[in-house]
DNA sequence: GTAGATTTGTGCGTATGTATT
DNA sequence: CAATACATACGCACAAATCTA
């Protein structure tokens, strides 16, 4: 789970969880990752924190975001 | 630009830059000044510092902040 | 064709913790 | 000790894009 008191920032922990799901194939290429709102509910975090997590995943080259549609797992990442 | 080692605090330097733009008419009355996020990116500062700069501009009577909308150049300041 | 739901984008308000000067 | 500055994280509101009923 997410530990607010942990060594890593919350948004890094969340990004790591999503990245792990991508690595295991739970989140397949070209499929959407959970929406920001879904992450808010699942992890009990603020939306801003969810957005930072997604931003980190983009920087890692794992996902791509499409305004109005969602954020999707890149083919190369699967 | 902004000099972290300068005589004036960073937030004063940033406020001076924005005030100068207002004085030159680059930022016109009733138009928004750069958002806090935009200042963070442009000047390479923290958001808290950008907020302090905007606070200073308000104290100088140059701008007015509308929660959820932005900060705007006052007519009298243009 | 349009009204609603979903999702991301943007903007400010606030608080806490840490480090430096 | 106080002021400055940065990083993180929570919250609220509205706009823009997209899709669907």
């Amino acid at each position: 789970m997410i530990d607010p008191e942990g060594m890593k920032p919350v948004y890094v922990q969340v990004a790591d969880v999503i990245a792990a799901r991508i690595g295991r194939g739970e989140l397949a290429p070209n499929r959407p990752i959970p929406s920001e709102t879904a992450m808010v509910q699942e992890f009990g975090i603020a939306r801003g924190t969810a957005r930072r997590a997604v931003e980190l995943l983009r920087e890692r080259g794992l996902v791509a975001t499409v305004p109005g549609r969602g954020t999707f797992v890149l083919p190369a990442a699967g």
Side-chain angles (χ1 to χ4, degrees), chain A:
Chain A
M1 281 305 300
I2 304 303
D3 177 19
E5 310 292 318
M7 296 299 293
K8 296 180 186 175
V10 174
Y11 74 90
V12 175
Q13 295 180 52
V14 170
D16 285 345
V17 169
I18 302 299
R21 289 180 188 170
I22 293 174
R24 287 195 300 271
E26 293 177 23
L27 296 172
N30 300 311
R31 296 290 299 171
I33 69 173
S35 71
E36 293 168 359
T37 303
M39 291 187 202
V40 166
Q41 296 174 343
E42 174 177 357
F43 300 112
I45 61 179
R47 194 187 153 204
T49 305
R51 286 181 61 77
R52 297 208 58 172
V54 173
E55 183 184 2
L56 190 53
L57 291 171
R58 277 197 302 269
E59 290 169 0
R60 292 180 182 173
L62 293 179
V63 302
T65 297
V66 183
R69 288 201 40 91
T71 297
F72 302 83
V73 179
L74 287 174

